[in-house]
């Protein structure tokens, strides 16, 4: 499939937000050196590359990626058993697992059932790097405590000229007018 050939496989291939990409790279290097870090909380509008950053980071650093969508894994039991296990245990080959909890702003309301509080406990005992993504962190009062546990990185929209340049390169290489 054409699209998969152009998905970033390293942080160097990420378009835009260069200063944050460098910060994320240093965060991952600290983990590789045995220096645990606070989880990253990548915040920004849809399409800025939050999830792509996590995938590219995992590939570049040899982390096995375990992804959860917060809108589906948000009750206390799921957070403790499933996400907690991923955050505690190494992968089968002994490398770090990168635990990605996508769309964390999806944890809210009665459907939460203690998930936000349980997530705080999982973070405190995590032995693997964790990344959370959110479109709008400040609209969800259940996530106030999460902000204190994480290093927040506010990603910006990718400038149109950067996107246009990349799309021109893709079209050239694919033989598309």
């Amino acid at each position: 499939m054409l699209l998969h050939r152009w998905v970033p496989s390293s942080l160097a291939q990420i378009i835009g937000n260069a200063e944050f990409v460098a910060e994320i790279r240093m965060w991952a290097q600290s983990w590789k050196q045995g220096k645990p870090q606070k989880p990253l909380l990548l915040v920004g509008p849809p399409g800025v590359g939050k999830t792509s950053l996590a995938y590219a980071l995992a590939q570049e650093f040899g982390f096995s990626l375990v992804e959860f969508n917060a809108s589906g894994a948000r009750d206390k039991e799921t957070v403790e058993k499933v996400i907690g296990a991923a955050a505690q245990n190494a992968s089968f080959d002994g490398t770090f697992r990168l635990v990605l909890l996508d769309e964390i702003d999806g944890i809210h309301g009665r459907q939460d059932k203690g998930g936000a509080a349980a997530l705080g406990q999982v973070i405190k005992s995590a032995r693997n790097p964790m990344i959370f993504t959110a479109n709008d962190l400040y609209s969800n009062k259940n996530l106030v405590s999460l902000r204190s546990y994480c290093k927040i990185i506010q990603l910006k929209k990718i400038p149109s000229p950067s996107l246009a340049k990349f799309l021109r390169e893709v079209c050239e290489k694919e033989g598309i007018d």
Side-chain angles (χ1 to χ4, degrees), residues 44-61:
V48 297
K50 299 179 294 287
T51 305
S52 291
L53 266 165
Y55 273 83
L57 180 131
Q59 278 197 282
E60 183 171 320
F61 284 87

Side-chain angles (χ1 to χ4, degrees), residues 75-88:
D75 62 276
K76 181 181 181 196
E77 185 177 345
T78 302
V79 169
E80 288 175 345
K81 288 185 178 175
V82 180
I83 298 172
Q88 284 292 318

Side-chain angles (χ1 to χ4, degrees), residues 39-161:
L40 292 179
L41 177 52
L42 306 180
V43 182
V48 297
K50 299 179 294 287
T51 305
S52 291
L53 266 165
Y55 273 83
L57 180 131
Q59 278 197 282
E60 183 171 320
F61 284 87
F63 297 156
S64 89
L65 187 112
V66 181
E67 180 179 6
F68 301 96
N69 188 300
S71 62
R74 59 184 173 202
D75 62 276
K76 181 181 181 196
E77 185 177 345
T78 302
V79 169
E80 288 175 345
K81 288 185 178 175
V82 180
I83 298 172
Q88 284 292 318
N89 303 314
S91 65
F92 291 119
D93 63 3
T95 60
F96 281 116
R97 283 185 173 154
L98 176 59
V99 179
L100 172 62
L101 195 52
D102 217 1
E103 300 177 14
I104 194 73
D105 39 353
I107 293 180
H108 57 75
R110 292 179 182 250
Q111 300 146 331
D112 168 11
K113 297 179 186 161
L119 190 55
Q121 293 305 313
V122 167
I123 290 169
K124 288 177 186 177
S125 62
R127 294 191 309 227
N128 284 305
M130 298 180 80
I131 294 180
F132 307 111
T133 70
N135 295 327
D136 182 5
L137 187 62
Y138 300 99
S139 67
N140 186 337
K141 65 179 177 158
N142 287 348
L143 299 178
V144 170
S145 62
L146 179 66
R147 295 194 300 254
S148 65
Y149 295 123
C150 297
K151 177 179 182 66
I152 299 171
I153 297 182
Q154 183 76 45
L155 298 171
K156 300 172 186 137
K157 286 185 83 171
I158 302 167
S160 295

